[in-house]
Amino acid sequence: MTRSTITRANKDGKGGGLFRRLAAGAGVLAFWLAVWQVISMLVGQELLVPAPLVVVRAFGRLVGTVEFWAAAGHSLLRVAEGFLCAVAAGSVLALLTTRFRLVNALASPLLHIVRAAPVASFIILALVWIKTNALPSFIAFLMVVPMVWANVEKGIRATDPLLLEMARVYRLGWWKTLLRVRIPSVMPYFMAACTTGLGFAWKSGIAAEVICRPVLSIGKKLQDAKVTLETPDVFAWTITVVVLSLVLEKVLVALARRFGRRYGVAD
Amino acid sequence: MAIMMERVRFAYTDGVSVLEDFSLSLPESGVVCLFGPSGCGKSTLLRLLAGLEQPQSGRIRGLPPRTAAVFQENRLLPWLTALENVALPLEREYPRPQALSLAQEELANVGLADAADQRPGALSGGMQRRVAIARALAYPADLLLLDEPFSGLDEALWSGLARRIAVRNENRLTVLVTHIREEAETMNARILRLEGPPLRRREER
């Protein structure tokens, strides 16, 4: 087989694979839309379970308004802010707790409390302390910090000591050892924490918005739609959150793959 | 400068003494083979020479600043390609393009020119071993430590590599740990027979 034949075969294989994946995705989507439609017909009340088409119409109506984009944009910013701060803080805490026993002893109970306590408790407590607009970011931050902290700590502790010895013998130095050995060792744990944490940031951030109701927010829109019994709008806003969360996750993974191959991000 | 170990004592944390009042003089160049049964302390001696362990008493003089090693395990970074693995230690000594070019040359020398872009996970055990050997050979070290470097390689491969290492390292010291006599003979090594623990010399050829 010549090189050009191999290349062509590979390209065909990739193209075929993409088509199959798209077809499979469409099939799964169609299945769940059908299930949704059947449930909606069985219930027979739009107020309880609106049909998919009704929700799509509501979504189309919302997307055409400036308010939709303003609310989605502001919620996105709040969640992203909380998430990014949590990633930074969680990583620093993990570094400190693996490096200093005292910090580990002092901080561990905090980690367990934040993990175990219900989100609602934090939201209600934080309402007393923090401005309404900053609360969703703070709650998203609080929910993601332990996840990043625990995972990065696990990654640091799992760094292969034999690789570190190799780095010492070949005198790679502190910086190169960090870039080429330590960071790549932690990267799978870090990426797992980020992808899971992003979902949690959305969930907790929107929950906080529902309770504290900042003017421009998906949470407030959800709550308003619930109060006015606009169930299709509740569904449409929920779909918005899911789509935003998925898009953000895909962007995060794509960026990590684009720039992080040499730092341990798997293809 | 020759390496001198003077009355070195070393024990691991479990208390078992591996080296007890151990003295040894190693020449400036050539191949020295530490030959002895498994568990006698050869690898610990190599770790001391690599600077990975420090003597609890006694001293080691004349250790060169740059050391290369083929460990018992390959110790390749799984997220880098074979070429990047070989080039990594060289990046401290040369600009990156030159490091990559030297690494490519060394991979070709061990018969892995076509595997340069593969990551270790995609290579067989024997190929990984050769990448680890290429990394050690490419590095401009004054001391080359080889801990059972040819395990997992077939005879044609290891004997070719052994001869190549012996010729290339004529002017620097190579310390080979093995319990296969043929490997030492192929590299024309001066054999130090050892036994232990605690490690001690039996006789010298």
Side-chain angles (χ1 to χ4, degrees):
Chain A
M1 200 189 278
T2 63
R3 177 171 288 201
S4 63
T5 325
I6 295 168
T7 312
R8 202 166 48 245
N10 285 344
K11 275 187 182 163
D12 290 349
K14 270 188 185 172
L18 180 68
F19 178 74
R20 268 200 301 276
R21 279 204 305 276
L22 283 174
V28 171
L29 184 67
F31 170 77
W32 285 110
L33 283 173
V35 170
W36 181 1
Q37 178 67 42
V38 169
I39 292 172
S40 162
M41 285 162 70
L42 286 174
V43 174
Q45 287 189 55
E46 199 175 276
L47 185 67
L48 296 177
V49 185
L53 206 62
V54 177
V55 173
V56 169
R57 260 192 241 119
F59 188 74
R61 178 172 41 78
L62 289 173
V63 166
T65 63
V66 177
E67 251 185 299
F68 171 86
W69 294 102
H74 278 82
S75 290
L76 175 69
L77 283 179
R78 285 188 201 101
V79 169
E81 183 187 23
F83 172 75
L84 291 175
C85 289
V87 167
S91 303
V92 170
L93 281 166
L95 272 177
L96 292 175
T97 48
T98 45
R99 192 103 181 88
F100 305 106
R101 276 188 192 169
L102 181 66
V103 180
N104 189 34
L106 292 172
S108 284
L110 204 66
L111 180 71
H112 291 294
I113 290 169
V114 178
R115 262 181 179 171
V119 188
S121 308
F122 283 117
I123 297 174
I124 290 162
L125 271 175
L127 262 174
V128 183
W129 306 328
I130 296 173
K131 279 191 297 182
T132 302
N133 263 335
L135 185 89
S137 304
F138 177 70
I139 294 300
F141 168 84
L142 216 56
M143 290 301 110
V144 179
V145 160
M147 229 172 270
V148 176
W149 182 358
N151 265 35
V152 172
E153 189 181 306
K154 208 168 160 188
I156 292 172
R157 292 195 197 281
T159 304
D160 188 347
L162 298 182
L163 294 181
L164 293 173
E165 279 188 358
M166 180 277 295
R168 267 177 68 196
V169 169
Y170 283 106
R171 304 197 316 157
L172 294 192
W174 181 86
W175 180 242
K176 246 191 182 13
T177 304
L178 177 76
L179 281 187
R180 294 283 189 261
V181 184
R182 290 188 185 275
I183 290 180
S185 298
V186 174
M187 200 49 93
Y189 297 85
F190 177 77
M191 285 306 294
C194 284
T195 44
T196 317
L198 197 54
F200 268 79
W202 274 106
K203 277 182 200 171
S204 54
I206 299 297
E209 282 183 351
V210 168
I211 293 175
C212 72
R213 297 170 56 81
V215 180
L216 290 172
S217 67
I218 294 177
K220 182 179 180 295
K221 297 290 175 196
L222 264 171
Q223 179 71 350
D224 289 349
K226 184 218 144 197
V227 171
T228 54
L229 301 178
E230 291 285 353
T231 315
D233 283 21
V234 174
F235 273 67
W237 282 112
T238 308
I239 288 170
T240 306
V241 173
V242 172
V243 169
L244 279 174
S245 175
L246 279 177
V247 168
L248 219 59
E249 188 186 316
K250 295 282 177 206
V251 169
L252 184 80
V253 171
L255 281 175
R257 281 190 182 153
R258 173 77 182 78
F259 299 107
R261 189 191 69 75
R262 296 180 71 205
Y263 303 105
V265 177
D267 289 333
Chain B
M1 183 184 168
I3 297 171
M4 306 284 288
M5 297 183 84
E6 294 169 355
R7 308 193 68 175
V8 170
R9 184 187 173 277
F10 179 82
Y12 286 106
T13 44
D14 59 10
V16 176
S17 189
V18 187
L19 274 79
E20 194 69 66
D21 210 17
F22 183 83
S23 295
L24 179 69
S25 167
L26 293 168
E28 272 181 60
S29 58
V31 183
V32 174
C33 171
L34 307 179
F35 190 81
S38 293
C40 73
K42 307 182 298 287
S43 292
T44 303
L45 179 56
L46 224 55
R47 289 178 65 79
L48 284 157
L49 292 172
L52 292 172
E53 308 288 356
Q54 293 302 315
Q56 281 139 8
S57 66
R59 61 178 181 165
I60 305 174
R61 287 192 296 157
L63 280 180
R66 283 192 297 251
T67 302
V70 176
F71 306 92
Q72 276 184 13
E73 317 79 12
N74 296 318
R75 304 194 189 190
L76 300 174
L77 300 176
W79 39 84
L80 298 185
T81 62
L83 180 68
E84 289 166 337
N85 264 290
V86 177
L88 182 63
L90 298 175
E91 287 175 18
R92 256 185 88 91
E93 313 291 332
Y94 309 102
R96 189 168 153 79
Q98 196 183 346
L100 287 171
S101 147
L102 287 168
Q104 181 67 53
E105 206 175 296
E106 205 57 64
L107 277 175
N109 284 339
V110 297
L112 289 178
D114 293 338
D117 293 332
Q118 302 283 331
R119 291 203 208 168
L123 302 175
S124 69
M127 289 165 98
Q128 288 183 30
R129 199 73 189 136
R130 281 187 279 161
V131 175
I133 292 172
R135 178 176 63 189
L137 293 182
Y139 189 61
D142 308 298
L143 172 62
L144 175 62
L145 304 173
L146 304 172
D147 197 353
E148 300 184 13
F150 309 121
S151 58
L153 300 180
D154 61 46
E155 191 176 343
L157 262 176
W158 78 250
S159 59
L161 281 169
R163 271 189 283 273
R164 188 188 292 273
I165 294 170
V167 171
R168 274 192 50 179
N169 285 6
E170 259 179 352
N171 298 321
R172 60 178 177 174
L173 176 61
T174 301
V175 180
L176 167 72
V177 163
T178 184
H179 49 260
I180 300 168
R181 201 181 175 90
E182 282 169 295
E183 290 181 2
E185 283 167 354
T186 308
M187 291 184 78
N188 201 22
R190 176 184 151 204
I191 296 175
L192 291 180
R193 288 169 165 274
L194 300 165
E195 60 186 5
L199 192 70
R200 56 192 174 274
R201 287 171 64 172
R202 281 179 62 195
E203 61 183 90
E204 199 170 311
R205 191 185 73 168

